[in-house]
Amino acid sequence: MTFNRRTFLGSAALTAGLLAAPMVRAQGKPRVVVVGGGAGGATAARYIAKDSNGEIDVTLVEPTRTYYTCFFSNLYLGGFRTMQSLGHSYGTLAAEYGINVVHDWAVGVDRDAKTVSLAGGASLPYDRLILSPGIDFVDGAVEGWDVSSQNAMPHAYKGGSQTELLKAQIMAMPQGGTYAMVAPPNPFRCPPGPYERISMVAHMLKETNPTAKILIADPKENFSKQGLFEEGWNDNYAGMIERVGPDFGGADVAVDPAAMTLSIDGDVNNVDVCNVIPAMKAGRIAEIAGITDGNWAPVNAADMSSKMDDSIHVLGDAAAQGDMPKSGFAANSQAKVCANAVRGALTGSTVFPARFANTCWSLIDTDDGVKVGATYEATDEKIAKVDGFISQTGESDDVRAATYQESIGWYDGITADMFG
Amino acid sequence: MRAGLLSAAMITIASTAYGDAGGDPKNGERLFNQCSGCHQVGQGAVDRIGPHLNNIFDRAAGTAQGYRYSDSLERAAAGGLTWNYETLNSFVENPRVLVSRTRMSFRGMNDQQDRDDLLAYLRQFSASPENIPEAAPTAAAVDHEVAPEVLAIVGDPAYGEYLSGECTACHQTSGAGDGIPAITNWPNDDFVTAMHAYKVGVRAHPVMQMMAGRLSDEEIAALAAYFESIE
Ligand SMILES: Cc1cc2nc3c(=O)[nH]c(=O)nc-3n(C[C@H](O)[C@H](O)[C@H](O)COP(=O)(O)OP(=O)(O)OC[C@H]3O[C@@H](n4cnc5c(N)ncnc54)[C@H](O)[C@@H]3O)c2cc1C
């Protein structure tokens, strides 16, 4: 009897133990919190959730319900895309990948307690934190401009409503009016972005307002794909675009949003639209987390972990990583390396060596696409360039048209890779 | 129509001028039997199963008027593929090296001398054959076909899945293929052949040359194994 009873108790204890084990493990499931649901963050969340088969608990914190891509927003300005076609929801990430999507702002990071606090008051514990908050603007970078002037003088350098505002202002320009751009200093999000924008604005104005002028104040001596853009501007928009570089005061600018003036080297210009793209820095949460050095967050190339806290990884525009440009393609590429490393650290899965790639397409005019790209590897010091290519001046129309078609294929590819 | 202008005299001149410069057009004419079930060349040649081959040297791919090409050849054409000694030599050796999904079902001509002979024959039906360059000095050294032992490498699909992260920013795993071709569910050999063609530069596309350029044979095999497994 006693024997039986013991056996019974024993096996009950054993059963309880067996049942308890998965629950303990469920509670102890490693937790990853991703802040920012853009090119870097959405990709990282999706790859970790997809490849860990439920072994890792993934939470994605992103304030907006629809992510409007910055990439292709210039094509919206040129009339090649609708704004709707640039919007993406988080529905599939939540429903099909089991990601816990929280629509809120992250406002604090407690690195000792390993928690992220949200504007709504909640606090999220993490084993690994991934920050991909994109960019913010450096205060006082352009004299006379701050974020409160962004309605009078839009930057349109974050997706969505700013881009719509800029387009509306360009459409409302008087015949023969002036669109001005204050271009940013290095390093900044999407090196060819301002110049693709000039091309697209010129394309639209050529149709609707052919006597209009475009004025660029640029603090940089040179810019990305310069030869290709300048060739295209000469061929398609001759006499429309004036660029003032640093040798003529392009770095010495001030704006007056109330008077709608832009002064370059003391010379006051009355303008109808003023697109101010100020100097940039990492999205504020990186600074709040205390992992920035200057404007950006330095990372280790092998796994995109912060040089100041190995439980935090930083992706995309916010990271200081070395040779890669700040692009959506680069953020997506870094996210996959990071996802593989984080999964390895938390579940023991195989960690493969880091490898990165980037390609940036730009549209100059209808069916006139160009591209620049490179591959990269991780060294101890940084992400280092291995090999690269760039479109050539004087390419045939067919090649340019094929390049544009490719960029459309890429847009569909990368957004599927981010949002499932 | 241009071919109508080619006279017998011209053909004779061409064959003596080029007869010993690498290819024997007489033997090439015989070898053209392997093509003539689908292609015509010479006076009055018209499109059959395949397009006519008059003026094929220096002709941009996919430009026989009125002929309907495969999507794959059209895309290669849009990317700038032009027929010259090197590209024809590779295409005749194995059409899929240059155009993976071509409708030309021809298993290829293995022998370099045979290909030289055939091309010497075809060259006569292009305008001013005396101006068409012989093989570029480097061309003969380029190995278009992938060695059998490389095709035989069995790739690790798990590694391939990780490596595919470099591809899926452009190539969709759903198999959708507008603007950028679909690469899912391909036979291993076609995939490996295409990747090596970019790697050695036989295919001209700069993005893909760069991507393939740093992949080892094992990595290409791993990618082939992974993409082949995606429905
Ligand atoms: C005009 C223009 C054209 C461009 N064209 C191209 C192109 O053709 N190709 C290309 O590759 N790249 C292009 N880019 C660059 C590309 O958009 C960025 O490099 C890319 O989006 C960076 O990804 P990210 O993840 O770092 O940031 P983002 O994609 O900006 O994502 C950051 C996200 O974080 C969220 N966030 C920020 N702070 C917080 C917080 N505290 N809490 C919660 N969420 C937060 C934001 O709401 C945002 O959704 C272009 C950019 C511009 C402006």
Side-chain angles (χ1 to χ4, degrees):
Chain A
M1 264 320 243
T2 322
F3 179 75
N4 279 346
R5 187 174 158 75
R6 268 202 200 125
T7 314
F8 176 68
L9 280 174
S11 60
L14 191 66
T15 311
L18 278 175
L19 282 175
M23 278 176 57
V24 168
R25 230 182 279 138
Q27 273 172 357
K29 230 191 203 183
R31 286 161 307 205
V32 171
V33 174
V34 181
V35 172
T43 309
R46 177 169 166 267
Y47 271 75
I48 293 172
K50 169 170 86 69
D51 295 338
S52 68
N53 299 318
E55 280 184 58
I56 298 177
D57 209 57
V58 182
T59 302
L60 177 61
V61 183
E62 163 62 49
T64 65
R65 279 167 198 277
T66 304
Y67 175 82
Y68 288 96
T69 59
C70 272
F71 31 104
F72 275 29
S73 66
N74 289 328
L75 274 63
Y76 159 80
L77 293 177
F80 294 92
R81 293 292 283 227
T82 62
M83 185 50 76
Q84 201 194 358
S85 76
L86 306 182
H88 304 271
S89 94
Y90 296 92
T92 309
L93 291 183
E96 280 183 27
Y97 295 90
I99 294 167
N100 178 23
V101 181
V102 179
H103 289 298
D104 203 345
W105 287 94
V107 292
V109 176
D110 183 334
R111 279 162 49 192
D112 295 327
K114 291 196 175 178
T115 57
V116 176
S117 50
L118 305 185
S123 167
L124 301 173
Y126 65 80
D127 296 298
R128 291 290 171 120
L129 173 63
I130 297 175
L131 299 180
S132 193
I135 51 129
D136 272 306
F137 300 109
V138 174
D139 290 334
V142 174
E143 193 185 328
W145 193 93
D146 63 29
V147 177
S148 70
S149 341
Q150 69 176 13
N151 288 341
M153 294 188 168
H155 52 77
Y157 234 66
K158 296 185 182 186
S161 58
Q162 272 279 305
T163 319
E164 288 178 305
L165 177 64
L166 180 64
K167 181 160 183 171
Q169 292 182 355
I170 297 169
M171 305 280 263
M173 272 167 60
Q175 288 295 312
T178 300
Y179 160 96
M181 172 189 282
V182 177
N186 292 323
F188 62 100
R189 156 177 285 188
C190 194
Y195 310 97
E196 180 186 54
R197 175 170 297 171
I198 294 297
S199 310
M200 290 294 96
V201 171
H203 173 83
M204 181 170 70
L205 290 175
K206 191 173 164 183
E207 286 175 0
T208 60
N209 190 346
T211 54
K213 291 266 179 289
I214 294 177
L215 174 64
I216 313 163
D218 201 332
K220 301 180 296 299
E221 206 79 62
N222 300 304
F223 60 88
S224 170
K225 305 185 208 170
Q226 184 161 2
L228 295 164
F229 280 116
E230 288 179 347
E231 176 193 53
W233 295 348
N234 268 330
D235 289 352
N236 302 306
Y237 315 117
M240 200 179 215
I241 301 167
E242 182 190 359
R243 174 171 172 269
V244 182
D247 35 351
F248 291 93
D252 179 15
V253 297
V255 296
D256 183 341
M260 282 306 286
T261 57
L262 161 65
S263 42
I264 303 177
D265 205 15
D267 239 21
V268 179
N269 301 272
N270 290 306
V271 299
D272 299 291
V273 175
C274 196
N275 178 192
V276 177
I277 311 176
M280 296 170 205
K281 61 178 184 181
R284 204 163 300 112
I285 191 70
E287 200 176 316
I288 292 170
I291 52 164
T292 51
D293 177 10
N295 288 334
W296 310 100
V299 295
N300 298 304
D303 60 358
M304 302 302 291
S305 62
S306 162
K307 288 201 167 155
M308 306 185 191
D309 185 332
D310 56 17
S311 301
I312 302 184
H313 301 250
V314 187
L315 304 176
D317 294 354
Q321 31 72 14
D323 296 350
M324 293 187 91
K326 299 186 187 299
S327 77
F329 199 122
N332 169 268
S333 171
Q334 293 159 10
K336 290 179 244 190
V337 168
C338 172
N340 184 252
V342 165
R343 220 156 45 80
L346 296 179
T347 67
S349 63
T350 317
V351 178
F352 296 107
R355 48 203 297 148
F356 307 91
N358 179 61
T359 299
C360 283
W361 288 265
S362 302
L363 187 62
I364 295 177
D365 199 349
T366 309
D367 284 336
D368 188 359
V370 293
K371 62 191 168 192
V372 58
T375 51
Y376 305 85
E377 65 187 5
T379 66
D380 287 346
E381 186 202 341
K382 63 172 185 175
I383 298 183
K385 180 170 164 178
V386 176
D387 186 17
F389 71 88
I390 182 165
S391 294
Q392 302 300 305
T393 51
E395 280 171 344
S396 74
D397 293 352
D398 282 355
V399 168
R400 291 294 175 87
T403 302
Y404 174 53
Q405 289 304 320
E406 258 170 58
S407 71
I408 296 174
W410 163 75
Y411 185 91
D412 295 343
I414 191 174
T415 50
D417 209 31
M418 289 163 63
F419 297 106
Chain B
M1 13 102 203
R2 198 65 153 300
L5 298 175
L6 290 169
S7 66
M10 205 167 147
I11 291 175
T12 318
I13 291 164
S15 49
T16 45
Y18 286 91
D20 40 34
D24 169 10
K26 270 251 143 43
N27 190 39
E29 181 173 8
R30 195 180 56 74
L31 289 162
F32 190 70
N33 285 338
Q34 297 187 32
C35 324
S36 58
C38 303
H39 291 288
Q40 295 187 353
V41 69
Q43 194 162 357
V46 292
D47 297 340
R48 298 276 310 278
I49 294 170
H52 76 82
L53 296 178
N54 289 336
N55 286 308
I56 194 68
F57 279 82
D58 280 343
R59 182 166 112 190
T63 52
Q65 287 292 316
Y67 181 80
R68 255 196 68 69
Y69 292 91
S70 64
D71 290 350
S72 195
L73 195 133
E74 295 243 347
R75 199 177 30 69
L81 178 62
T82 295
W83 296 121
N84 54 32
Y85 174 86
E86 280 186 61
T87 54
L88 284 168
N89 186 27
S90 157
F91 195 65
V92 171
E93 183 178 14
N94 174 1
R96 290 176 180 208
V97 169
L98 284 174
V99 190
S100 295
R101 294 331 225 185
T102 178
R103 273 210 321 273
M104 169 157 145
S105 48
F106 175 67
R107 69 197 169 311
M109 191 180 280
N110 287 329
D111 188 78
Q112 180 64 60
Q113 188 59 50
D114 282 354
R115 295 197 299 275
D116 280 343
D117 294 351
L118 177 68
L119 294 184
Y121 170 70
L122 283 178
R123 172 188 267 117
Q124 300 169 349
F125 301 98
S126 288
S128 324
E130 65 279 10
N131 295 336
I132 298 170
E134 264 295 331
T138 53
V142 176
D143 194 5
H144 304 131
E145 283 249 272
V146 180
E149 58 272 24
V150 172
L151 286 175
I153 299 172
V154 177
D156 167 9
Y159 187 33
E161 181 170 9
Y162 169 70
L163 292 171
S164 77
E166 287 213 309
C167 323
T168 52
C170 292
H171 295 283
Q172 297 185 52
T173 48
S174 70
D178 287 336
I180 291 181
I183 56 169
T184 52
N185 206 7
W186 278 26
N188 175 78
D189 289 8
D190 285 0
F191 192 100
V192 172
T193 298
M195 293 304 284
H196 280 277
Y198 289 116
K199 187 173 171 171
V200 302
V202 183
R203 288 201 193 191
H205 196 270
V207 172
M208 283 306 305
Q209 284 186 350
M210 178 183 81
M211 299 306 299
R214 68 162 164 174
L215 294 169
S216 67
D217 293 347
E218 283 70 25
E219 287 169 337
I220 289 174
L223 283 159
Y226 171 66
F227 278 109
E228 186 176 22
S229 73
I230 300 179
E231 289 298 318

